[in-house]
Amino acid sequence: MKLSQLKIGQKGIIKEFTDLEMSVKLMEMGCLPGECVKLERVAPMGDPIAVSVAGYQLSLRKLEASTIELI
Amino acid sequence: MQNVKRVALVGNPNTGKSTIFNLLTGLNQRVGNFPGVTVDKKSGFTKLADGSTLEIVDLPGTYSLYPKSADETIVFEVLSDKQNPSYPDMVLVVADATSLKRNLLLYTQIADLGLPVILVLNMMDLAQKGNIQIAIDALAKRLNVQVVSLAARKSQGIDELKKAIQFQNLSPLQSQTIDVEALAPDLIKDITSLFKLENPYVALQIAHQHQNLRYLSKNESQKVKELVLAADFHSQKSQASETIARYNFINDVLLDSVKHTTVAVEETISNKIDHYLTHKVWGFVIFIGILFAIFQSIFAWSEYPMTLIETLFVWLETAGHQFLPPGVLTDLLVDGVLAGLSGVMVFIPQIALLFAFISILEDTGYMARVTFMMDRLMRKVGLNGKSVVPMIGGLACAVPAIMSARTIENWKERMITIMVTPLVSCSARLPIYTLLISLVVPNKMVFGFIQLQGLALMSLYLMSIISAIIVAWAMKFILNSKVRGYFIMELPVYRMPRWRNVGLTMYESVKTFVTQAGKVIIAVSIVLWVAASYGPGNKFDKIESKYNSEAYTAHYTEHQIERLKSSEKLENSYAGVLGKAIEPAIKPLGFDWKIGIALITSFAAREVFVGTMATLYSVDGDADQMDSVRDKMANAKNAETGLPVFTVATAFSLMMFYAFAMQCMSTMAVVYRETKHIKWPVIQFVYMLVLAYVASYLTYVILH
């Protein structure tokens, strides 16, 4: 399952990344394999999304979220 | 012990880095440039308890030494190049205590560069509230650096920080965080010997960033490139394994020093607020409501101070003419420089207010939500969610609005935003619109409730926003950018605005505007004054003697003669000659040479149009006489055809011209300042002039 497929309020644990370039940016922002993520909100027009990760909130586009595989 | 002379502030965005900078330096700061780069350099001075002074340099906020934007490249450049004029003696790494893990990533990178470091844990009050217990001593011992805890928003801990800086050892003592050499052993060795470096991590970063580092010569960069290729070094893979290794180290450190029991309380409050502020329906309603309130306040609150400034300058100009010896120098000083200055100063209230509101929106965290909500919509036309703010600000004045586009990280999106913002109808166009609409649009109601004049004005405003969006969409295809766009952004928790920061932002923006844009405006207004006050040959002398003759003095009052004289002088001045020269070009738009003069004199600022019209039709140029300007213009007849000059076609054509043409020196000056390249204001001026010409021409042809 991908991060972009979570429903609001649903949680998951990051397993791996499918895009190397994106993985580096996401890891710098605290999205690491083993971290718990929760989908908090979706922007009014369906994109981007906001997730809780590593003790703060991160917003990212769905396209970027689809490169994160969850356990 | 040698004293620290220069300290660099480094940290993630939203860690309160700028609050710490402001607390350390107060008003004793200035905005300059990093040499050769388009990044603002904020630096200032602070005094320590022992009486020594040190320079604080605020580096752009970043999550890592691997840059995502041009602004961020500067961080590694400054910290790795000893020749750099901003190279610090030590670094303060500011970390947000409520999300220490992510913040420590940057710390480990900086620590490995081998500069003396102090770790500053900010927002300790929030961490405590959120039940995050950080054992400062254990952390300091593990990393072998001084760790200072701060609550910068409450101004707590600054004295301790200053003390820590004072007693900082100037040789780096921090423990290495990861085994850097293991990442690329041979390559690091080669680069280290090539540049005679002392630090392996600097060498590794050069391997990653050699193409973007401005302190490397082409030759050096090429050599590094060859080494990188020979070593079969894959930048992203290496960066990924480095980041994982760093987080392993951080997890290990945090295991001993941080106890985290429950989720931070602030976070859940923020969540509740977001439930409404980013709601599908209410989110937009509230956003539009907030913008409306800001726009209204800017106009309402700036009215009084603006009148005050105008009155002050009128008084100064009168006093100047009264008390200074009459002559060319006085005229230049009063009618040229002072008039130009008042044109600059009068915008100060609007600029200060707009920046205060924007800084409050940013400080509270609401701006990040606006970006979040608008990103999808704005992305479609090549803009960014953050472009909403400058475009709305453009309704008041494009100058501060363009300055506020700095928050957009992506180069292409920021450029498009800057390029289209001046199209949005600003307050300087309002007097022109009101004058021309009242001239040709009948003041009556249609369908019983729509006021025709108001409808015309509203259409002009709507058209301005629509045209900005269309031009943005077109530029999306023209501007090239290889950089892949991201929208990975932190949503900071909601906080109360820091009023001190709001005040400083107002002060800084006004200071920048007055010094930067002011210089240009004054220069241009002097040139315009000369062009309007002098004419070729001895025509001016002839005009003087003509009106001194009995034929005039007998039939007209002194006041009337003055007006006739200045009108004829303007006609024969260099500006007037120029107006006649461009007449063939503007004739297809329905303009005569008098409008041509107005176009030229209002080149520096649109609002000059009304004043020029007043002089040309020989009436006093102050606002109370607006009606008489209108009457004169309404009665103006074309000398050849005897038909009225200001027909519906001409007036609307003229409004279209002012809607699209740049006609604002302050905006061009600020675009130059923000883009640091003359080509952008030139391109902008040309494309807007072409748009203006085409729109005016079509309007004139259709309505004629």
Side-chain angles (χ1 to χ4, degrees):
Chain A
M1 172 135 141
K2 289 169 179 159
L3 176 58
S4 53
Q5 293 165 328
L6 280 185
K7 292 190 175 67
I8 292 177
Q10 215 179 351
K11 286 180 190 170
I13 292 169
I14 297 175
K15 189 169 87 182
E16 61 191 7
F17 303 96
T18 55
D19 180 310
L20 180 63
E21 187 187 349
M22 206 58 79
S23 77
V24 181
K25 317 262 173 204
L26 288 165
M27 281 198 289
E28 280 178 355
M29 298 298 285
C31 297
L32 295 160
E35 281 285 338
C36 180
V37 281
K38 179 182 168 197
L39 182 65
E40 294 286 354
R41 247 177 315 285
V42 177
M45 295 161 113
D47 195 18
I49 59 171
V51 298
S52 295
V53 65
Y56 79 107
Q57 274 199 21
L58 179 74
S59 82
L60 67 170
R61 289 175 180 161
K62 277 195 168 158
L63 189 70
E64 290 143 10
S66 69
T67 68
I68 301 178
E69 275 295 333
L70 303 177
I71 293 173
Chain B
M1 192 179 81
Q2 198 198 339
N3 275 337
V4 172
K5 292 273 190 297
R6 190 182 296 120
V7 176
L9 266 176
V10 179
N12 289 9
N14 304 311
T15 49
K17 198 163 62 71
S18 55
T19 311
I20 295 174
F21 177 75
N22 288 339
L23 281 174
L24 283 173
T25 60
L27 281 178
N28 197 357
Q29 51 175 270
R30 62 194 182 90
V31 182
N33 285 323
F34 288 107
V37 207
T38 59
V39 183
D40 280 329
K41 174 189 166 183
K42 270 175 86 181
S43 63
F45 293 91
T46 194
K47 253 205 164 89
L48 297 182
D50 64 356
S52 61
T53 308
L54 56 103
E55 188 188 359
I56 314 278
V57 178
D58 190 16
L59 293 175
T62 181
Y63 291 99
S64 132
L65 279 183
Y66 293 96
K68 284 196 275 294
S69 70
D71 278 27
E72 294 176 8
T73 315
I74 202 76
V75 180
F76 177 69
E77 279 187 346
V78 167
L79 298 183
S80 62
D81 175 22
K82 287 182 182 162
Q83 313 308 318
N84 192 301
S86 299
Y87 184 78
D89 301 309
M90 64 164 295
V91 184
L92 296 183
V93 180
V94 182
D96 174 354
T98 64
S99 115
L100 202 50
K101 193 197 240 178
R102 192 198 69 213
N103 277 262
L104 282 182
L105 177 72
L106 182 64
Y107 165 79
T108 64
Q109 293 177 334
I110 305 279
D112 287 348
L113 286 178
L115 279 156
V117 206
I118 292 179
L119 177 60
V120 182
L121 298 184
N122 194 17
M123 311 200 191
M124 280 301 275
D125 50 332
L126 295 181
Q128 269 156 11
K129 251 197 220 164
N131 286 322
I132 303 170
Q133 281 145 20
I134 303 172
I136 303 280
D137 293 337
L139 190 61
K141 208 170 165 194
R142 183 73 169 74
L143 300 172
N144 204 28
V145 291
Q146 296 194 74
V147 178
V148 183
S149 64
L150 271 180
R153 279 192 182 235
K154 296 182 173 168
S155 308
Q156 287 166 3
I158 281 295
D159 292 336
E160 286 80 356
L161 177 60
K162 284 187 177 178
K163 222 173 271 169
I165 298 171
Q166 194 182 329
F167 294 113
Q168 172 69 26
N169 198 312
L170 269 195
S171 43
L173 297 173
Q174 67 268 24
S175 19
Q176 288 295 297
T177 60
I178 59 163
D179 186 0
V180 172
E181 273 104 336
L183 289 164
D186 298 332
L187 182 61
I188 289 177
K189 228 175 270 167
D190 290 342
I191 296 179
T192 308
S193 62
L194 177 66
F195 295 109
K196 302 192 177 50
L197 298 170
E198 291 149 24
N199 182 288
Y201 192 52
V202 172
L204 182 67
Q205 281 286 349
I206 289 178
H208 282 288
Q209 300 193 38
H210 62 94
Q211 283 169 316
N212 300 319
L213 292 175
R214 277 159 290 231
Y215 62 78
L216 292 186
S217 69
K218 258 205 182 121
N219 197 10
E220 287 172 329
S221 176
Q222 185 59 34
K223 271 187 196 153
V224 177
K225 194 179 173 188
E226 281 159 19
L227 288 175
V228 165
L229 284 175
D232 199 19
F233 175 75
H234 191 290
S235 175
Q236 276 172 3
K237 275 184 196 155
S238 163
Q239 193 191 338
S241 24
E242 183 194 323
T243 308
I244 289 169
R246 290 195 181 282
Y247 274 118
N248 285 337
F249 170 81
I250 292 165
N251 281 334
D252 197 39
V253 170
L254 293 185
L255 208 61
D256 305 330
S257 51
V258 174
K259 287 208 167 49
H260 188 187
T261 39
T262 48
V263 179
V265 187
E266 296 272 332
E267 169 79 43
T268 53
I269 294 172
S270 265
N271 255 339
K272 277 182 194 154
I273 300 174
D274 266 340
H275 198 70
Y276 298 99
L277 292 192
T278 63
H279 185 269
K280 256 185 185 157
V281 180
W282 300 123
F284 286 114
V285 173
I286 293 168
F287 172 54
I288 289 166
I290 288 175
L291 286 180
F292 187 73
I294 289 178
F295 192 39
Q296 287 291 311
S297 318
I298 288 176
F299 275 111
W301 296 349
S302 66
E303 199 186 321
Y304 183 69
M306 281 172 93
T307 320
L308 210 69
I309 293 170
E310 276 173 346
T311 319
L312 176 77
F313 272 93
V314 169
W315 179 82
L316 274 176
E317 283 168 37
T318 322
H321 274 303
Q322 212 162 10
F323 296 112
L324 292 173
V328 179
L329 214 63
T330 301
D331 284 351
L332 176 68
L333 195 72
V334 175
D335 302 332
V337 178
L338 263 186
L341 260 180
S342 77
V344 183
M345 300 296 178
V346 84
F347 284 116
I348 288 178
Q350 285 193 350
I351 287 174
L353 280 171
L354 188 63
F355 267 81
F357 282 119
I358 288 172
S359 129
I360 290 171
L361 291 185
E362 252 162 24
D363 232 29
T364 50
Y366 182 67
M367 203 71 105
R369 272 73 183 183
V370 174
T371 311
F372 177 67
M373 283 195 292
M374 301 299 285
D375 182 66
R376 176 107 195 234
L377 193 74
M378 301 306 271
R379 208 189 329 163
K380 284 194 175 150
V381 295
L383 297 167
N384 184 294
K386 293 179 182 178
S387 312
V388 178
V389 183
M391 285 178 69
I392 296 300
L395 285 170
C397 176
V399 173
I402 283 169
M403 280 151 80
S404 71
R406 275 183 212 160
T407 50
I408 303 167
E409 292 101 349
N410 183 288
W411 175 84
K412 182 175 169 178
E413 290 166 345
R414 180 168 173 232
M415 281 305 154
I416 296 181
T417 308
I418 290 178
M419 294 302 267
V420 301
T421 297
L423 286 171
V424 177
S425 194
C426 67
S427 58
R429 287 171 172 110
L430 199 56
I432 303 171
Y433 290 165
T434 6
L435 178 66
L436 291 172
I437 286 175
S438 68
L439 205 61
V440 294
V441 180
N443 187 10
K444 65 176 185 191
M445 297 285 206
V446 281
F447 307 120
F449 66 97
I450 301 171
Q451 216 256 342
L452 260 186
Q453 293 189 336
L455 185 71
L457 190 63
M458 204 184 77
S459 315
L460 283 164
Y461 271 88
L462 273 179
M463 184 199 71
S464 77
I465 289 170
I466 293 168
S467 62
I469 287 172
I470 293 172
V471 172
W473 178 79
M475 284 196 171
K476 183 176 123 175
F477 299 102
I478 298 166
L479 274 186
N480 266 320
S481 171
K482 281 171 220 130
V483 185
R484 188 166 154 187
Y486 299 99
F487 190 81
I488 301 177
M489 187 190 73
E490 182 179 351
L491 289 176
V493 291
Y494 286 107
R495 303 233 171 89
M496 280 304 285
R498 297 156 294 181
W499 300 111
R500 195 186 147 91
N501 271 19
V502 174
L504 272 170
T505 310
M506 284 169 81
Y507 171 77
E508 275 298 326
S509 60
V510 168
K511 197 171 100 181
T512 313
F513 172 72
V514 170
T515 51
Q516 300 291 330
K519 276 184 237 164
V520 181
I521 294 177
I522 290 172
V524 170
S525 44
I526 291 174
V527 172
L528 278 182
W529 176 84
V530 172
S533 312
Y534 292 93
N538 58 352
K539 276 188 181 157
F540 271 45
D541 297 334
K542 280 185 186 158
I543 296 168
E544 279 290 341
S545 50
K546 174 175 150 196
Y547 284 102
N548 280 337
S549 69
E550 192 133 338
Y552 284 93
T553 44
H555 293 91
Y556 298 96
T557 66
E558 200 177 321
H559 197 57
Q560 281 172 320
I561 289 180
E562 270 310 307
R563 282 193 260 154
L564 286 170
K565 221 194 313 191
S566 64
S567 165
E568 195 169 335
K569 272 189 180 172
L570 187 64
E571 193 180 330
N572 287 292
S573 69
Y574 289 107
V577 173
L578 222 70
K580 288 205 164 147
I582 66 164
E583 198 175 23
I586 57 174
K587 208 157 195 175
L589 312 181
F591 306 160
D592 64 0
W593 69 269
K594 283 190 178 178
I595 298 175
I597 298 182
L599 291 183
I600 291 169
T601 55
S602 67
F603 165 73
R606 297 178 178 94
E607 54 275 28
V608 175
F609 174 81
V610 178
T612 308
M613 281 291 143
T615 319
L616 278 177
Y617 292 99
S618 65
V619 273
D620 296 322
D622 60 39
D624 305 338
Q625 300 285 319
M626 190 77 106
D627 279 332
S628 59
V629 185
R630 199 181 67 195
D631 292 342
K632 293 271 179 185
M633 282 166 70
N635 293 329
K637 297 274 192 302
N638 187 311
E640 289 159 32
T641 58
L643 296 169
V645 175
F646 288 95
T647 59
V648 174
T650 301
F652 270 94
S653 164
L654 195 53
M655 280 192 267
M656 283 297 161
F657 193 87
Y658 276 100
F660 287 107
M662 176 58 108
Q663 301 286 97
C664 179
M665 211 57 217
S666 332
T667 305
M668 290 186 69
V670 88
V671 169
Y672 173 63
R673 200 189 107 78
E674 292 298 304
T675 59
K676 309 245 157 77
H677 201 298
I678 192 75
K679 96 175 173 203
W680 294 108
V682 170
I683 292 174
Q684 194 171 31
F685 180 78
V686 171
Y687 101 74
M688 288 178 75
L689 192 64
V690 171
L691 268 185
Y693 197 89
V694 173
S696 289
Y697 179 72
L698 291 179
T699 309
Y700 186 68
V701 169
I702 291 166
L703 293 177
H704 193 54

Short mmCIF file of all heavy atoms in Angstrom, two decimals, chain A residues 44, chain B residues 274-290 366 373:
data_model
loop_
_atom_site.label_atom_id
_atom_site.label_comp_id
_atom_site.label_asym_id
_atom_site.label_seq_id
_atom_site.Cartn_x
_atom_site.Cartn_y
_atom_site.Cartn_z
N PRO A 44 -8.62 21.01 0.11
CA PRO A 44 -9.99 21.11 -0.40
C PRO A 44 -10.17 20.60 -1.84
O PRO A 44 -11.21 20.09 -2.17
CB PRO A 44 -10.28 22.62 -0.33
CG PRO A 44 -9.43 23.11 0.78
CD PRO A 44 -8.19 22.26 0.76
N ASP B 274 -7.12 23.57 12.10
CA ASP B 274 -7.04 23.22 10.68
C ASP B 274 -8.32 22.61 10.16
O ASP B 274 -8.65 22.72 8.98
CB ASP B 274 -5.89 22.23 10.46
CG ASP B 274 -4.61 22.94 10.07
OD1 ASP B 274 -4.71 24.09 9.61
OD2 ASP B 274 -3.53 22.37 10.22
N HIS B 275 -9.05 21.95 11.07
CA HIS B 275 -10.31 21.34 10.69
C HIS B 275 -11.23 22.38 10.05
O HIS B 275 -11.95 22.08 9.10
CB HIS B 275 -10.96 20.76 11.94
CG HIS B 275 -12.01 19.75 11.64
ND1 HIS B 275 -11.71 18.51 11.12
CD2 HIS B 275 -13.36 19.81 11.72
CE1 HIS B 275 -12.84 17.86 10.91
NE2 HIS B 275 -13.85 18.61 11.27
N TYR B 276 -11.17 23.62 10.57
CA TYR B 276 -12.00 24.68 10.00
C TYR B 276 -11.26 25.46 8.92
O TYR B 276 -11.81 25.75 7.87
CB TYR B 276 -12.45 25.65 11.10
CG TYR B 276 -13.31 24.96 12.14
CD1 TYR B 276 -12.77 24.54 13.34
CD2 TYR B 276 -14.66 24.70 11.88
CE1 TYR B 276 -13.55 23.87 14.27
CE2 TYR B 276 -15.44 24.04 12.80
CZ TYR B 276 -14.89 23.63 14.00
OH TYR B 276 -15.67 22.96 14.90
N LEU B 277 -10.02 25.82 9.20
CA LEU B 277 -9.31 26.71 8.28
C LEU B 277 -8.94 26.08 6.95
O LEU B 277 -8.69 26.77 5.97
CB LEU B 277 -8.05 27.28 8.96
CG LEU B 277 -8.29 28.24 10.12
CD1 LEU B 277 -7.01 28.96 10.50
CD2 LEU B 277 -9.37 29.26 9.80
N THR B 278 -8.86 24.74 6.89
CA THR B 278 -8.60 24.11 5.60
C THR B 278 -9.80 23.26 5.16
O THR B 278 -9.67 22.34 4.36
CB THR B 278 -7.32 23.24 5.62
OG1 THR B 278 -7.53 22.17 6.55
CG2 THR B 278 -6.11 24.03 6.02
N HIS B 279 -10.97 23.58 5.72
CA HIS B 279 -12.20 22.87 5.37
C HIS B 279 -12.55 23.12 3.90
O HIS B 279 -12.26 24.18 3.35
CB HIS B 279 -13.33 23.37 6.27
CG HIS B 279 -14.62 22.64 6.09
ND1 HIS B 279 -15.57 23.06 5.20
CD2 HIS B 279 -15.10 21.52 6.69
CE1 HIS B 279 -16.60 22.21 5.25
NE2 HIS B 279 -16.34 21.28 6.14
N LYS B 280 -13.16 22.11 3.29
CA LYS B 280 -13.53 22.18 1.87
C LYS B 280 -14.23 23.48 1.51
O LYS B 280 -13.93 24.09 0.50
CB LYS B 280 -14.44 21.01 1.52
CG LYS B 280 -13.72 19.93 0.76
CD LYS B 280 -14.67 18.84 0.33
CE LYS B 280 -13.84 17.74 -0.32
NZ LYS B 280 -14.42 16.46 -0.34
N VAL B 281 -15.23 23.85 2.30
CA VAL B 281 -16.01 25.06 2.00
C VAL B 281 -15.54 26.22 2.85
O VAL B 281 -15.13 27.27 2.34
CB VAL B 281 -17.51 24.81 2.25
CG1 VAL B 281 -18.30 26.07 1.92
CG2 VAL B 281 -18.00 23.63 1.42
N TRP B 282 -15.54 26.02 4.18
CA TRP B 282 -15.20 27.12 5.09
C TRP B 282 -13.79 27.61 4.88
O TRP B 282 -13.50 28.79 5.03
CB TRP B 282 -15.40 26.69 6.55
CG TRP B 282 -16.81 26.29 6.81
CD1 TRP B 282 -17.26 25.10 7.30
CD2 TRP B 282 -17.99 27.09 6.58
NE1 TRP B 282 -18.63 25.10 7.36
CE2 TRP B 282 -19.10 26.30 6.92
CE3 TRP B 282 -18.20 28.39 6.09
CZ2 TRP B 282 -20.41 26.76 6.81
CZ3 TRP B 282 -19.50 28.85 5.97
CH2 TRP B 282 -20.58 28.04 6.34
N GLY B 283 -12.89 26.72 4.51
CA GLY B 283 -11.50 27.10 4.27
C GLY B 283 -11.40 28.26 3.30
O GLY B 283 -10.73 29.26 3.56
N PHE B 284 -12.11 28.15 2.16
CA PHE B 284 -12.06 29.20 1.16
C PHE B 284 -12.82 30.45 1.61
O PHE B 284 -12.39 31.57 1.37
CB PHE B 284 -12.61 28.70 -0.18
CG PHE B 284 -11.67 27.77 -0.88
CD1 PHE B 284 -11.98 26.44 -1.07
CD2 PHE B 284 -10.44 28.25 -1.34
CE1 PHE B 284 -11.09 25.60 -1.71
CE2 PHE B 284 -9.55 27.40 -1.98
CZ PHE B 284 -9.88 26.07 -2.16
N VAL B 285 -13.97 30.22 2.26
CA VAL B 285 -14.76 31.35 2.74
C VAL B 285 -13.94 32.19 3.71
O VAL B 285 -13.84 33.42 3.60
CB VAL B 285 -16.07 30.87 3.40
CG1 VAL B 285 -16.80 32.03 4.04
CG2 VAL B 285 -16.95 30.17 2.37
N ILE B 286 -13.28 31.51 4.67
CA ILE B 286 -12.48 32.21 5.67
C ILE B 286 -11.30 32.92 5.01
O ILE B 286 -11.00 34.08 5.30
CB ILE B 286 -11.97 31.23 6.76
CG1 ILE B 286 -13.16 30.70 7.56
CG2 ILE B 286 -10.95 31.90 7.67
CD1 ILE B 286 -12.83 29.53 8.46
N PHE B 287 -10.68 32.24 4.05
CA PHE B 287 -9.52 32.83 3.35
C PHE B 287 -9.92 34.13 2.64
O PHE B 287 -9.26 35.16 2.78
CB PHE B 287 -8.97 31.81 2.35
CG PHE B 287 -7.89 32.37 1.45
CD1 PHE B 287 -6.78 33.00 1.98
CD2 PHE B 287 -8.00 32.26 0.07
CE1 PHE B 287 -5.80 33.50 1.15
CE2 PHE B 287 -7.02 32.76 -0.76
CZ PHE B 287 -5.91 33.38 -0.22
N ILE B 288 -11.03 34.05 1.89
CA ILE B 288 -11.48 35.25 1.17
C ILE B 288 -11.87 36.34 2.17
O ILE B 288 -11.55 37.52 1.97
CB ILE B 288 -12.63 34.89 0.20
CG1 ILE B 288 -12.06 34.07 -0.95
CG2 ILE B 288 -13.31 36.14 -0.33
CD1 ILE B 288 -13.08 33.37 -1.80
N GLY B 289 -12.50 35.94 3.27
CA GLY B 289 -12.86 36.90 4.31
C GLY B 289 -11.63 37.61 4.87
O GLY B 289 -11.62 38.83 5.03
N ILE B 290 -10.58 36.83 5.16
CA ILE B 290 -9.35 37.41 5.72
C ILE B 290 -8.73 38.39 4.72
O ILE B 290 -8.33 39.50 5.07
CB ILE B 290 -8.35 36.30 6.10
CG1 ILE B 290 -8.85 35.56 7.34
CG2 ILE B 290 -6.96 36.88 6.35
CD1 ILE B 290 -8.00 34.37 7.74
N TYR B 366 -0.59 30.53 9.27
CA TYR B 366 -1.74 30.45 8.37
C TYR B 366 -1.30 30.44 6.90
O TYR B 366 -1.92 29.78 6.06
CB TYR B 366 -2.69 31.63 8.63
CG TYR B 366 -3.94 31.58 7.76
CD1 TYR B 366 -4.87 30.56 7.95
CD2 TYR B 366 -4.16 32.50 6.76
CE1 TYR B 366 -6.00 30.49 7.14
CE2 TYR B 366 -5.28 32.44 5.95
CZ TYR B 366 -6.20 31.43 6.15
OH TYR B 366 -7.31 31.34 5.36
N MET B 373 -3.89 24.95 0.51
CA MET B 373 -5.22 24.94 -0.12
C MET B 373 -5.17 25.33 -1.59
O MET B 373 -5.92 24.81 -2.40
CB MET B 373 -6.15 25.92 0.61
CG MET B 373 -6.66 25.40 1.93
SD MET B 373 -8.06 26.38 2.49
CE MET B 373 -7.28 27.93 2.85
#
